[in-house]
Amino acid sequence: MPKSKRELLIIEDPPAKTTQEPPEVPWFAEDIFRGTNMPSNLQPAQLPFATAETESETEDPFLFIDAEEDLDELAIESVLDTLESWGSDIPKHYGYFKRVSLCDLGLQIPLGHDGEFCPASRRDDCLVICSEKENWVQLLEVDIFPATELNPRTGFTMEVLRHQRCFNLRGKTSLKEYYDALVDLTSAADGKARIPSLYEQLRLIVRIFRVLTMHMRAGRFDPSVPLKPGELCVECPACPQPGVNLPRNWELDPLKQLHFVRFLAGDGNFKLQRLAKRRPVKTESTTNTSLLGDGGFWVQESLFQRYLSETSIAADEPNGQRKSACNTMAGDPGYTPEGAKALDVTGIFCVSCRHIFVCPNGVVDLHKGEKYRYADICFAGPLNRSYTQGLRYFVITYDIACKYGINFKSRCCNRSCNFILIPTDTNDDINIIFCVNKFHQESHDDDCAAKNALDYTKYVGRTCGEGVETIWANMNWLRYSTREMGPGNRIETLSEHLNDWNWQKILGIVRRIKSAYAKSIQSLDITMQELDDLKNSIGLKEASSLESKYHALGGEQFLQNQQQLQWLSRKDLYRKMTEIDGSSSRSLRDALGLRQIAYVDLICKALQLESMQARLSQRVQDLAKLKNAPAALKGRISSLSEKVKNGIQAHYDLLYEVVPQLEPLRQTPGPPTVDEILLPSRLTPEERENYDSELHEDVDETKMSEDSKEPSLDSIVENWRDEFVRLDFVHAMAATERWTEEVRILTREMAATCRSFRASALLWSRRADSCNLTSEGVHNGSSMSETDWAETSPEIRGYMAYASRHFDLYANLATNAIAEFLDI
């Protein structure tokens, strides 16, 4: 027994478990539900109690319960609801309000008898506890969450737990910061040392309350029912879900590869790390294992460990640990963040949908970079779920999709692979297209960027693929508070924030889809007008020819047949167009000795060189304004100047090879900042004719065959212009098709969102009915009378009230969604 009345007793928690089995959560959900049927304004302070009369002030009712000398002498220790009495130790005119304990003022709260005092209890106690019920049950009846189930000596009000959860989700306030704030509000200076430390108890209760809250919001009223993978997660209402938000006979839709395609985007984050513990830590199930099991966002642990153990590490490094040749960003199997040796977890990999909802079982902890196997297990969760439901068309966007998707099926789907992550039918009817996110295309070379571009991929609409990046702006605020947590607590904390992220997306998805639809209609009108203007400018005959070539090339990725994919790369486009054209470009190449030179590439490189030259000029001007310029800055400018100088020299060498008529103009390039980059199109017609005549002045043209004549500058410029017209036409056609697809996709998503909200409302209605059927004397389809309601147990009434509230919530969401979409 403590010697001081202010000393806190140690909580009698059960001994630490040494097994790795998932720990059991004290199932207080039914007791929490019991209070759902009570008005929210009925707080413990409103129950009958006796207190001494005093001149006092009262603040907000956030109560802590801490232990006194024994369980029968529990006293209320207020953190925000302490009373202040006038100090009597000093003269009145020098006095102040001094904080005193509510227990010292004679507060009494009766438990166990609906606000009445228990006849068998002692009336001089602060909490008058009934001996006929469990202590923790009586505490939950007055919205006090006990710190332990066996012999509770410390408790926290539900209002404190809800308040902490809200601050953590909205302000990313860590639990330690929140607790310190409560202590400061209780006693910032005077008497602060007298306040017992309840942080460890609060940390345990917050963790249990978090898990129970996720179970309750998922409609899990019965803890004996096995937890399904991803069951605790909030899911996207707009993504196709057969049996939930798709119309009847949707499989017969001739455009199901457009209307019912599932979009998935993956990305790694190297901020949400976890430090490795250097000192040995006791192995406890509650510390190392998440209480969410496989029902949260993290991949199934047992499946993940089996996959890693049964597959070869060579799958992570298909290029022999060589860094990607076309990607300079972190999304590479060989990338390892700085300081990885001090980290147990270097980051996380996440999979989201087109509407930026984090997918259930689509998150995994990374170790030493974005290995292929870690990404495989993440994509496998959503793919398996959708494939089992009946979907067959998928689009995956990833920073390094250009090389990641090459052997994806052989690693995950084929029956010949070592470990089948995505079991498919014998006919291999899963269709997956891999594309590079639009922002990351700039870090890929030309062939790769064009070949994997969303803008030139059929049936994807105007999908960006970068939405998953926006999740990190919200989640990175947690990197400092979670890096010191245990593995299980860290996963639970991040899962709660990801679930809240999805819920906030649900609240705004109607507005987002409505806005995107209005924008798509407007953009489609603009692109169609631009395409019509282009056709009129080049002539209807030429436009018809280009359109037939565009469709003949098949320069886009088709989902229907993976074996006949036609990649739209710039070089392939030139080659195929030349083969179809057959005359001018081919004769031009023959006349140039079959040199494989892309003329448009020459111009593009010249334009890029001009951009570098302008940047160099600006840097030189900025440097001149500095009195004491750093040596490092001078070195970078000097390096850029040398790069521009070499680029100009290489440009002229290539130009004279492509257009030998300009050889007489060869001269030493000028300074990198002022040298004009010469192109044939910048010569006047008179200059072109002059150089043509000078070139053929001394040549006996009668001895030259027709095929060996050097082409004129006009023909070269004309061919270049033809290529630009073709490319412009391809871009205009692709933009029109993508916006048309986007309108159709958004139309389908509007209907799917309304169906999802309606399906969720019906699900909660069935849950309320299932609670109704468990009551004695209530039959299927009959309403409950007031007598039956009064005789029903508080737990059942709480379940029904909770389910009814969620039914009304989703019914309102469905009604509002229909009204908003009809208003377009």
Side-chain angles (χ1 to χ4, degrees):
M1 281 297 172
K3 298 179 180 179
S4 172
K5 189 176 181 180
R6 305 297 305 177
E7 187 173 350
L8 178 68
L9 293 181
I10 299 177
I11 298 178
E12 298 180 3
D13 288 329
K17 301 178 181 179
T18 58
T19 62
Q20 291 299 324
E21 296 296 328
E24 295 183 359
V25 181
W27 194 256
F28 296 147
E30 58 186 19
D31 299 277
I32 299 175
F33 278 120
R34 186 187 298 116
T36 308
N37 190 46
M38 300 174 61
S40 59
N41 61 349
L42 182 58
Q43 299 295 335
Q46 293 178 275
L47 299 176
F49 66 90
T51 181
E53 296 183 0
T54 181
E55 182 180 0
S56 61
E57 295 180 357
T58 305
E59 299 180 5
D60 296 336
F62 295 100
L63 304 181
F64 270 131
I65 304 298
D66 88 347
E68 296 298 336
E69 295 203 2
D70 54 43
L71 183 60
D72 294 332
E73 295 180 358
L74 278 173
I76 295 183
E77 191 66 35
S78 173
V79 173
L80 289 183
D81 190 15
T82 55
L83 299 181
E84 297 181 347
S85 63
W86 195 261
S88 59
D89 297 338
I90 57 179
K92 295 288 184 181
H93 55 282
Y94 288 116
Y96 65 98
F97 282 106
K98 183 179 181 180
R99 293 179 180 268
V100 296
S101 172
L102 291 173
C103 190
D104 295 338
L105 296 176
L107 174 67
Q108 288 186 315
I109 299 180
L111 303 180
H113 289 270
D114 297 328
E116 300 295 333
F117 287 97
C118 177
S121 62
R122 294 187 302 174
R123 298 293 297 272
D124 57 345
D125 298 336
C126 182
L127 288 183
V128 183
I129 299 178
C130 176
S131 58
E132 298 177 358
K133 294 183 180 180
E134 293 286 346
N135 298 331
W136 60 271
V137 174
Q138 299 179 58
L139 292 175
L140 286 172
E141 287 179 349
V142 293
D143 278 354
I144 297 177
F145 203 107
T148 182
E149 179 183 0
L150 299 179
N151 192 16
R153 304 190 178 198
T154 305
F156 305 91
T157 63
M158 294 293 186
E159 193 66 23
V160 167
L161 299 179
R162 297 188 185 101
H163 193 263
Q164 185 277 332
R165 180 180 180 273
C166 184
F167 267 65
N168 182 242
L169 293 177
R170 299 282 80 82
K172 311 304 177 187
T173 306
S174 68
L175 182 60
K176 186 63 169 65
E177 293 171 338
Y178 180 81
Y179 177 80
D180 290 341
L182 291 182
V183 172
D184 287 343
L185 288 173
T186 302
S187 182
D190 60 308
K192 188 173 183 179
R194 298 185 294 106
I195 300 176
S197 176
L198 301 176
Y199 174 71
E200 291 299 325
Q201 293 88 324
L202 179 61
R203 185 171 60 85
L204 174 64
I205 295 308
V206 165
R207 183 179 179 186
I208 296 176
F209 184 76
R210 177 189 299 123
V211 176
L212 288 178
T213 301
M214 293 185 69
H215 277 264
M216 292 164 57
R217 294 188 175 183
R220 284 182 49 81
F221 299 159
D222 187 358
S224 62
V225 178
L227 185 63
K228 300 177 182 178
E231 185 180 359
L232 304 179
C233 302
V234 176
E235 297 190 53
C236 177
C239 286
Q241 301 180 52
V244 178
N245 60 7
L246 298 189
R248 296 178 181 178
N249 301 323
W250 64 271
E251 303 94 337
L252 305 179
D253 190 335
L255 285 178
K256 59 182 177 181
Q257 63 268 40
L258 169 64
H259 296 155
F260 310 120
V261 60
R262 181 77 191 275
F263 295 90
L264 299 174
D267 187 54
N269 179 295
F270 293 97
K271 300 292 186 182
L272 298 175
Q273 305 165 344
R274 181 179 178 273
L275 294 177
K277 303 299 181 181
R278 300 185 179 275
R279 293 178 297 177
V281 180
K282 291 189 300 182
T283 303
E284 297 183 11
S285 177
T286 54
T287 301
N288 296 331
T289 308
S290 171
L291 301 178
L292 301 176
D294 296 333
F297 289 97
W298 259 248
V299 298
Q300 301 180 50
E301 183 65 21
S302 58
L303 178 65
F304 180 48
Q305 295 301 331
R306 284 177 50 209
Y307 181 60
L308 291 183
S309 62
E310 297 182 20
T311 55
S312 172
I313 196 173
D316 292 331
E317 307 294 348
N319 294 329
Q321 296 186 353
R322 180 172 57 87
K323 206 170 176 60
S324 175
C326 61
N327 195 310
T328 59
M329 299 191 180
D332 190 89
Y335 176 81
T336 300
E338 185 178 356
K341 293 183 179 180
L343 301 174
D344 178 41
V345 175
T346 58
I348 65 174
F349 188 89
C350 172
V351 174
S352 69
C353 69
R354 166 182 157 98
H355 313 95
I356 325 179
F357 282 71
V358 182
C359 298
N361 300 127
V363 182
V364 70
D365 288 331
L366 297 176
H367 305 278
K368 298 183 180 180
E370 293 184 27
K371 306 297 183 182
Y372 280 8
R373 292 186 295 172
Y374 290 78
D376 291 344
I377 195 71
C378 266
F379 283 115
L383 286 173
N384 260 326
R385 187 184 184 94
S386 297
Y387 183 86
T388 304
Q389 292 175 340
L391 298 181
R392 294 296 181 267
Y393 298 96
F394 302 91
V395 174
I396 292 179
T397 56
Y398 186 25
D399 305 352
I400 52 174
C402 55
K403 60 177 183 177
Y404 172 75
I406 295 176
N407 299 316
F408 180 81
K409 280 192 173 182
S410 62
R411 292 195 310 269
C412 305
C413 304
N414 293 348
R415 298 181 180 274
S416 59
C417 61
N418 295 333
F419 192 99
I420 303 178
L421 276 176
I422 309 172
T424 57
D425 296 338
T426 54
N427 56 355
D428 191 24
D429 56 347
I430 185 172
N431 300 276
I432 306 177
I433 290 297
F434 291 88
C435 296
V436 177
N437 309 348
K438 290 187 176 181
F439 173 77
H440 289 79
Q441 288 179 10
E442 297 298 327
S443 61
H444 293 248
D445 60 30
D446 292 339
D447 288 344
C448 177
K451 182 168 59 177
N452 300 280
L454 285 164
D455 287 337
Y456 304 104
T457 302
K458 204 165 186 177
Y459 302 137
V460 301
R462 293 292 298 178
T463 302
C464 175
E466 293 288 353
V468 65
E469 300 280 354
T470 63
I471 300 175
W472 309 136
N474 182 274
M475 298 297 295
N476 283 344
W477 291 96
L478 301 170
R479 63 184 184 272
Y480 296 119
S481 60
T482 59
R483 64 187 308 180
E484 296 283 356
M485 291 182 178
N489 193 16
R490 172 179 170 272
I491 290 177
E492 294 157 14
T493 301
L494 294 177
S495 295
E496 184 182 36
H497 282 265
L498 293 175
N499 222 22
D500 180 71
W501 169 273
N502 285 4
W503 177 248
Q504 298 301 321
K505 287 293 180 182
I506 279 187
L507 298 181
I509 193 169
V510 172
R511 182 175 64 255
R512 175 187 177 277
I513 293 179
K514 180 180 178 181
S515 174
Y517 183 82
K519 178 182 177 182
S520 298
I521 293 294
Q522 181 181 5
S523 299
L524 178 59
D525 292 340
I526 294 174
T527 53
M528 292 181 66
Q529 182 62 42
E530 291 176 348
L531 180 60
D532 292 340
D533 293 343
L534 179 61
K535 290 180 179 180
N536 295 331
S537 65
I538 63 178
L540 297 180
K541 182 178 179 180
E542 181 66 16
S544 177
S545 175
L546 288 175
E547 188 170 357
S548 62
K549 293 175 184 178
Y550 174 82
H551 294 297
L553 289 175
E556 298 175 89
Q557 305 174 25
F558 290 90
L559 296 173
Q560 301 93 324
N561 192 337
Q562 290 288 311
Q563 303 300 323
Q564 298 180 2
L565 290 181
Q566 305 272 346
W567 303 105
L568 181 61
S569 68
R570 187 182 299 171
K571 293 181 180 178
D572 290 342
L573 181 62
Y574 296 156
R575 182 172 62 254
K576 290 181 178 294
M577 283 187 173
T578 302
E579 291 172 357
I580 294 176
D581 248 359
S583 57
S584 61
S585 296
R586 177 168 294 178
S587 63
L588 178 62
R589 288 174 182 264
D590 293 340
L592 293 175
L594 299 179
R595 289 189 292 268
Q596 299 298 319
I597 299 173
Y599 306 105
V600 179
D601 279 347
L602 174 65
I603 297 178
C604 291
K605 290 178 181 178
L607 296 177
Q608 293 175 357
L609 192 59
E610 281 188 337
S611 177
M612 291 175 57
Q613 190 181 52
R615 189 163 66 251
L616 174 63
S617 300
Q618 184 63 42
R619 296 291 186 274
V620 172
Q621 293 178 10
D622 295 340
L623 183 64
K625 299 177 182 179
L626 299 177
K627 295 182 179 180
N628 298 317
L633 178 59
K634 293 181 179 179
R636 288 196 297 269
I637 294 178
S638 177
S639 176
L640 179 61
S641 177
E642 188 67 21
K643 186 177 181 180
V644 172
K645 179 180 178 181
N646 295 336
I648 293 176
Q649 185 61 52
H651 166 75
Y652 282 121
D653 293 341
L654 182 59
L655 178 65
Y656 299 143
E657 182 182 1
V658 175
V659 191
Q661 295 93 322
L662 298 180
E663 183 66 28
L665 291 180
R666 180 181 289 274
Q667 60 184 2
T668 303
T673 55
V674 297
D675 186 89
E676 294 185 0
I677 301 176
L678 178 63
L679 286 173
S681 58
R682 292 175 178 168
L683 299 177
T684 63
E686 292 77 10
E687 289 175 326
R688 297 178 199 161
E689 183 178 359
N690 179 41
Y691 285 115
D692 283 340
S693 61
E694 289 182 3
L695 178 67
H696 300 289
E697 188 174 40
D698 301 326
V699 179
D700 186 3
E701 297 186 5
T702 59
K703 297 180 181 180
M704 298 177 61
S705 64
E706 185 69 21
D707 292 337
S708 63
K709 289 182 179 179
E710 292 286 355
S712 66
L713 288 176
D714 285 335
S715 64
I716 293 176
V717 172
E718 186 63 27
N719 278 284
W720 284 351
R721 288 174 176 170
D722 289 343
E723 294 295 322
F724 276 116
V725 170
R726 289 171 181 149
L727 289 177
D728 198 11
F729 187 83
V730 169
H731 298 332
M733 283 289 295
T736 303
E737 289 183 352
R738 297 297 82 76
W739 282 114
T740 303
E741 295 166 358
E742 182 71 9
V743 171
R744 299 183 69 93
I745 290 175
L746 290 171
T747 303
R748 194 275 307 168
E749 289 177 350
M750 287 190 287
T753 301
C754 296
R755 292 193 188 101
S756 291
F757 289 154
R758 182 176 180 272
S760 297
L762 294 177
L763 177 60
W764 282 102
S765 176
R766 290 193 296 270
R767 287 169 177 167
D769 290 339
S770 65
C771 298
N772 190 355
L773 294 175
T774 60
S775 303
E776 297 181 359
V778 180
H779 304 284
N780 188 16
S782 62
S783 60
M784 182 179 292
S785 64
E786 294 185 6
T787 304
D788 294 333
W789 178 260
E791 295 177 354
T792 304
S793 65
E795 293 83 359
I796 298 299
R797 287 185 294 183
Y799 295 155
M800 296 178 64
Y802 192 86
S804 300
R805 183 172 66 182
H806 279 72
F807 163 78
D808 187 61
L809 170 64
Y810 282 102
N812 289 334
L813 287 175
T815 302
N816 294 336
I818 294 174
E820 289 288 339
F821 293 148
L822 291 178
D823 189 44
I824 297 179

